[in-house]
């Protein structure tokens, strides 16, 4: 009897544990829409004059405002925990919102990030304070921008310009205000990573159905 008990512990329990923890992602058929019709990036510019838009892209949206250097730690957290795993997905992109005048700081940050990975999907969009405020307000959360127009939270915007996130009030891992705190490696690892997987899987499934 002891022999069979030991065998069960060694072989069955790890499999059961894996199924239990992996079910956190599989339970989401779709990541819910929180706010529809987020403002498009009209009136925002980029360093290399690249055209930027949310439409037809899966976007991780971040607000670094007028002090990019202050947010470098947040950028490196995102780069390692989210970007590194997903940047090869065709329609995936990062968009960092910054105030005009921060162009050189953005180039410096991108150069630092590029020491470990290809930063082709990191995009910096620059605009006036009024434009940045309007974009942030269109997310319709209870979060606020700091005085320097930055915020430590990242947001998932889908291809139809909808803010996506969790709404289940009974979910112990629910993210308040539907943003992900980029200062917290644990939150990026345990929550945002799962939610990004869900939305990418959603679009992969849609593409397979369309191809069929």
């Amino acid at each position: 009897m002891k022999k069979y008990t030991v065998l069960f512990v060694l072989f069955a329990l790890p499999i059961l544990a894996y199924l239990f923890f992996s079910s956190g992602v599989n339970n989401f058929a779709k990541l819910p829409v929180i706010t529809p019709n987020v403002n498009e990036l009209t009136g925002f510019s980029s360093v290399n004059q690249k055209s930027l838009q949310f439409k037809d892209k899966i976007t991780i949206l971040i607000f670094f405002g007028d002090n990019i250097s202050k947010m470098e730690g947040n950028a490196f957290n995102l780069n390692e925990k989210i970007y590194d795993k997903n940047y090869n997905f065709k329609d995936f992109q990062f968009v960092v919102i910054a105030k005009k005048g921060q162009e050189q700081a953005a180039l410096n940050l991108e150069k630092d990030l590029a020491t470990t990975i290809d930063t082709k999907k990191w995009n910096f969009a620059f605009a006036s304070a009024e434009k940045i405020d309007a974009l942030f307000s269109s997310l319709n959360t209870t979060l606020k921008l700091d005085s320097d127009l930055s915020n430590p939270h990242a947001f998932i915007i889908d291809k139809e310009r909808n803010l996506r996130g969790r709404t289940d009030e009974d979910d112990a891992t629910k993210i308040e205000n539907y943003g992900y705190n980029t200062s917290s490696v644990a939150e990026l690892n345990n929550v945002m990573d799962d939610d990004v997987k869900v939305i990418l899987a959603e679009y992969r499934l849609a593409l397979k159905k369309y191809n069929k």
Side-chain angles (χ1 to χ4, degrees):
M1 191 66 184
K2 286 184 179 180
K3 177 181 177 181
Y4 289 115
T5 302
V6 171
L7 288 174
F8 177 81
V9 171
L10 288 176
F11 295 103
L13 285 184
I15 295 173
L16 292 173
Y18 171 79
L19 292 173
F20 174 79
F21 288 113
S22 65
S23 66
V25 173
N26 296 330
N27 283 339
F28 289 97
K30 282 190 174 183
L31 197 64
V33 172
I34 306 303
T35 304
N37 299 317
V38 171
N39 286 2
E40 188 50 279
L41 290 170
T42 307
F44 286 77
S45 61
S46 62
V47 173
N48 55 7
Q49 304 307 310
K50 179 181 178 181
S51 178
L52 299 176
Q53 64 177 39
F54 294 136
K55 182 67 175 174
D56 299 323
K57 299 286 186 180
I58 298 169
T59 304
I60 304 302
L61 177 64
I62 324 144
F63 290 81
F64 284 3
D66 200 26
N67 197 348
I68 285 179
S69 60
K70 183 187 83 171
M71 306 299 289
E72 284 185 359
N74 304 66
F76 278 98
N77 287 345
L78 277 168
N79 200 49
E80 179 182 350
K81 300 302 178 182
I82 304 298
Y83 180 84
D84 182 46
K85 301 173 184 177
N86 303 292
Y87 77 97
N88 284 319
F89 187 87
K90 181 181 177 182
D91 299 320
F92 185 77
Q93 67 174 354
F94 270 40
V95 172
V96 180
I97 302 300
K99 190 178 178 184
K100 285 184 176 178
Q102 287 288 297
E103 288 83 356
Q104 187 57 53
L107 288 172
N108 294 341
L109 175 57
E110 186 175 4
K111 182 179 179 181
D112 290 340
L113 293 170
T115 59
T116 58
I117 199 168
D118 186 345
T119 56
K120 62 184 177 182
K121 299 291 184 70
W122 273 89
N123 299 291
F124 293 84
F126 306 93
S128 65
E130 292 74 20
K131 284 278 186 183
I132 294 173
D133 272 325
L135 175 59
F136 193 88
S137 295
S138 74
L139 298 172
N140 196 28
T141 76
T142 58
L143 293 168
K144 304 294 183 184
L145 288 173
D146 291 342
S147 58
D148 60 6
L149 302 171
S150 69
N151 187 282
H153 291 80
F155 304 91
I156 299 174
I157 311 297
D158 70 16
K159 292 186 177 185
E160 289 73 43
R161 297 191 359 250
N162 302 315
L163 173 65
R164 305 288 283 270
R166 300 188 181 197
T167 58
D168 188 354
E169 296 293 336
D170 297 323
D171 184 357
T173 59
K174 175 178 177 269
I175 299 302
E176 187 178 7
N177 304 313
Y178 317 110
Y180 306 86
N181 188 350
T182 61
S183 300
S184 170
V185 172
E187 192 165 305
L188 297 181
N189 251 339
N190 301 328
V191 184
M192 188 177 184
D193 184 39
D194 278 358
D195 289 358
V196 171
K197 286 177 183 175
V198 169
I199 195 167
L200 292 182
E202 176 186 331
Y203 280 104
R204 285 191 184 101
L205 180 60
L207 181 60
K208 286 181 181 179
K209 289 182 177 178
Y210 175 80
N211 288 336
K212 286 181 179 179

